[in-house]
Amino acid sequence: MMNSLMRAGTAVAAVAALLTATAGACSGPRDPHGGTAGRTNVVLVLTDDLSMDLIRYMPGVRALAADGTTFTDYTVTDSLCCPSRSSIFTGRYPHNTGVFTNGGNDGGFRVFQREQEADTFATTLQRSGYRTAMMGKYLNEYLPGRDGVRPGWTEWDVAGNAYGEYDYNLNENGSVKHYGRQPADYLTDVIGGRATAFVTASARAGAPFLLEVATFAPHGPYVPAPQDAASFPGLTAPRGPAYDRLPTGAPTWLADRQPLTASEKTAIDTAYRKRVQSVQSVDRLLGNLRQTLVRAGVADRTVVVFSSDNGYHMGEYRLNPGKQTAFDTDVHVPLIVAGAGVRKGATVDAAVQNIDLRPTFEELGGVTRGSAVDGSSLVPLLRDGRAGRWRATGLVEHHGPDHVAGDPDKPAPASGNPPTYAALRAPGYTYVEYADGSTEYYDRATDPYQLTNEAGDLPAARKAALHTTLERLRTCRGGEACRAAAG
């Protein structure tokens, strides 16, 4: 173990030396604080399938929240990896990215590559003089040996199907390296080391930078780091009000789900404990990055963002572990921001979404948002809590059921595999329309666990108004049109 850790430390030092040597290629006036005048460094730590109920086990994330601003009503545009990540990169809804699934004709890396990849926050910030780094997970179907370094990235350390955390290939700036099964090969730790090296090198070069560290954790099979494998003994999954319970008036795809069996409950408890174990390495990665920013002298010029691509249900609504639904377990995820110019210990309850991250990063970098971006910058909400008239509702879009062979997110039996739907997710309610004609309406102000589907009791005028808003949002294009459509 000690030899492995020493090898890991040597590797990090070598990476730092390499990045320092190549950092001079950036443009822009340099200063001793790691940025150009008025330009903010951005660090995004993006997790995979991290649900809200895991934050209590992550002291580093809670410390970030104490030092910054928490968005209490942040949702994703689709509770599935590739569509959500595509919206983050582009600032566009799935109906404008064309990415609704993880593969096939309507999703995955290939669809994103065709029309979206040339216009992301990475491409705009790199063109403006930022050093940009992508580390960990990119998009479903990306293969390190086949697909190489993608547009917009100065530093590229990306794996393919590396959910097991060991025995994977990592594309390191165009050179593919295989990592085995030694403790030092644990992927979250590897990309954490490369991330701290990138920050150190960028600061030394006096260059503004954007870094995305996208972990595979805590996605299944929920593999913890060696030092965490025996932690939290006896921990069980939360038994909240929605656990092993169907909503009244459940939609067609869910209505016949039977109560969880004893073996299903045991499996859920085991999976939850492993998920808690696996996020410990993510929490350390976040803490190490924040310490590195301080040591490098750039913490006062950097904004740190923590989030997830989607949530995860574990026993709620009688479903085995999974995602893809419009329930809050799956679409409502953490968004915590701290750093330069960000209010400390603050909360924001506006209806923000993952399409808002790109314009936020671009405003921090002094880049004008393009007309094809559907989201809005969060910078005013971060700085003084005021952003004028914010959107009244968010949009969730999903194609299903999912039957793509080889998809790591293909739902297991009884884990939730809804048909195509579109949903409105407002601060007080959720409204869903399915392709099979089913509808859902949950008044989350009085029914926060979404256990009473009131769609059948809505007045005709109210339902017509919701349908009209949904249709306008699912066809909107560009920031002005989408803000108007959202009300």
Side-chain angles (χ1 to χ4, degrees):
M1 173 70 79
M2 183 60 69
N3 289 338
S4 297
L5 294 175
M6 291 176 64
R7 287 196 301 271
T10 302
V12 170
V15 171
L18 174 62
L19 294 177
T20 300
T22 59
C26 329
S27 60
R30 298 177 181 177
D31 68 30
H33 301 290
T36 55
R39 309 186 80 187
T40 304
N41 305 315
V42 177
V43 174
L44 168 63
V45 177
L46 183 69
T47 55
D48 196 342
D49 290 4
L50 187 141
S51 49
M52 295 292 293
D53 56 17
L54 295 180
I55 298 300
R56 71 189 74 170
Y57 301 104
M58 305 181 75
V61 173
R62 297 198 308 273
L64 185 74
D67 291 338
T69 295
T70 298
F71 290 84
T72 60
D73 212 21
Y74 174 74
T75 56
V76 296
T77 53
D78 190 353
S79 178
L80 190 59
C81 297
C82 203
S84 177
R85 291 165 189 263
S86 298
S87 287
I88 291 171
F89 283 133
T90 65
R92 294 189 273 272
Y93 286 118
H95 67 262
N96 289 327
T97 66
V99 181
F100 290 91
T101 63
N102 286 342
N105 295 326
D106 61 352
F109 166 70
R110 289 302 188 191
V111 172
F112 182 83
Q113 177 191 27
R114 284 201 298 267
E115 297 182 5
Q116 302 301 312
E117 199 173 33
D119 182 24
T120 67
F121 64 69
T123 62
T124 56
L125 287 173
Q126 186 187 54
R127 283 196 299 269
S128 75
Y130 271 66
R131 300 187 74 237
T132 57
M134 178 71 219
M135 300 183 179
K137 178 178 177 178
Y138 186 51
L139 294 169
N140 296 73
E141 297 187 323
Y142 170 86
L143 295 178
R146 180 192 68 188
D147 299 317
V149 179
R150 307 314 305 167
W153 302 100
T154 311
E155 172 76 12
W156 182 262
D157 300 294
V158 174
N161 188 3
Y163 298 95
E165 297 283 350
Y166 295 102
D167 197 22
Y168 57 90
N169 291 326
L170 191 67
N171 187 307
E172 300 176 352
N173 298 314
S175 177
V176 178
K177 179 179 177 180
H178 181 76
Y179 287 78
R181 304 198 64 82
Q182 297 300 311
D185 296 325
Y186 186 75
L187 178 59
T188 301
D189 292 343
V190 169
I191 59 175
R194 297 186 73 85
T196 57
F198 173 81
V199 168
T200 301
S202 298
R204 287 176 179 168
F209 60 86
L210 175 139
L211 165 65
E212 177 175 339
V213 185
T215 68
F216 283 78
H219 192 289
Y222 330 114
V223 178
Q227 63 266 46
D228 302 314
S231 60
F232 301 95
L235 183 66
T236 59
R239 264 68 166 170
Y243 184 84
D244 198 21
R245 184 177 170 187
L246 285 182
T248 59
T252 303
W253 68 270
L254 180 61
D256 63 354
R257 178 71 182 121
Q258 298 302 303
L260 296 168
T261 66
S263 61
E264 286 175 327
K265 291 180 179 180
T266 298
I268 288 170
D269 287 339
T270 299
Y272 187 78
R273 183 169 62 255
K274 292 174 67 177
R275 280 167 58 79
V276 171
Q277 292 168 347
S278 71
V279 296
Q280 301 311 302
S281 59
V282 178
D283 203 54
R284 288 192 294 271
L285 180 153
L286 175 65
N288 290 338
L289 277 173
R290 296 188 72 195
Q291 291 174 9
T292 301
L293 292 168
V294 172
R295 288 195 299 268
V298 294
D300 62 340
R301 295 291 188 93
T302 303
V303 165
V304 179
V305 181
F306 178 85
S307 192
S308 179
D309 58 357
N310 52 256
Y312 207 65
H313 55 255
M314 302 196 75
E316 293 88 355
Y317 315 107
R318 295 183 178 173
L319 293 172
N320 283 313
K323 48 198 175 183
Q324 304 195 34
T325 81
F327 289 117
D328 265 15
T329 52
D330 297 7
V331 301
H332 177 214
V333 297
L335 179 63
I336 301 169
V337 185
V342 178
R343 293 178 299 147
K344 293 184 178 182
T347 59
V348 173
D349 61 3
V352 303
Q353 292 203 276
N354 52 359
I355 56 170
D356 300 323
L357 294 183
R358 175 185 177 176
T360 301
F361 299 163
E362 290 177 338
E363 181 171 349
L364 290 170
V367 175
T368 301
R369 183 188 67 198
S371 60
V373 174
D374 300 331
S376 299
S377 172
L378 302 174
V379 169
L381 292 171
L382 292 169
R383 289 183 174 162
D384 60 20
R386 295 188 295 271
R389 187 168 177 266
W390 194 260
R391 74 173 70 92
T393 184
L395 172 68
V396 182
E397 302 178 285
H398 178 75
H399 282 188
D402 183 358
H403 296 301
V404 177
D407 182 359
D409 289 323
K410 183 178 179 181
S415 67
N417 196 1
T420 294
Y421 67 81
L424 298 177
R425 172 53 170 71
Y429 69 85
T430 295
Y431 173 71
V432 191
E433 292 185 354
Y434 292 93
D436 65 4
S438 299
T439 57
E440 289 176 284
Y441 180 90
Y442 299 100
D443 181 348
R444 296 195 326 279
T446 59
D447 179 25
Y449 296 99
Q450 298 170 270
L451 291 170
T452 303
N453 178 12
E454 300 179 13
D457 298 324
L458 287 177
R462 172 62 170 157
K463 197 164 186 178
L466 291 168
H467 174 75
T468 297
T469 299
L470 186 57
E471 285 301 302
R472 287 175 178 168
L473 264 176
R474 67 192 302 185
T475 57
C476 73
R477 184 178 297 272
E480 294 299 327
C482 290
R483 279 193 296 277

